[in-house]
Amino acid sequence: MEPLLTPQTLAAALGLAEQTIYNRHSTGGNLPPAIKLGRLLRFRPADVEAWLERQKQPSPSAASTAPVVQPPPVRRRGRPTKAEQIAARRTQ
């Protein structure tokens, strides 16, 4: 049985702060699967290796080269701001 990694050793291996590991775990962030031993957080080295391999593969959204179409700006109610007034004068 291989020894489990502590958040401190995982942080050192990934080049992150130890607090980042705890923050990502508590918010459901991007981390390898964790094991809770009482109040302690531990990581299996095999899970970390598999997670790292998944991180290397390009995501499907990054692979598509379709241009991103921005929706038209939403008109606000009320009087235009000074910046909007100046921009409108420049386009006339």
Side-chain angles (χ1 to χ4, degrees):
M1 184 165 134
E2 52 190 343
L4 299 174
L5 301 174
T6 64
Q8 184 177 10
T9 56
L10 180 64
L14 297 177
L16 298 171
E18 184 179 355
Q19 188 61 46
T20 301
I21 302 296
Y22 286 112
N23 291 345
R24 286 187 184 178
H25 179 263
S26 67
T27 60
N30 191 9
L31 271 183
I35 300 169
K36 289 283 287 188
L37 298 173
R39 65 185 182 103
L40 303 176
L41 191 62
R42 296 295 183 255
F43 301 89
R44 288 183 34 220
D47 289 344
V48 173
E49 291 296 326
W51 177 78
L52 284 173
E53 286 301 317
R54 285 193 306 271
Q55 300 307 306
K56 289 181 186 178
Q57 297 172 356
S59 65
S61 61
S64 67
T65 57
V68 176
V69 178
Q70 299 267 340
V74 177
R75 285 200 64 188
R76 297 179 326 126
R77 292 182 58 184
R79 185 175 179 171
T81 64
K82 191 68 170 176
E84 291 170 338
Q85 292 173 1
I86 293 170
R89 271 190 246 142
R90 288 184 180 163
T91 59
Q92 293 177 355

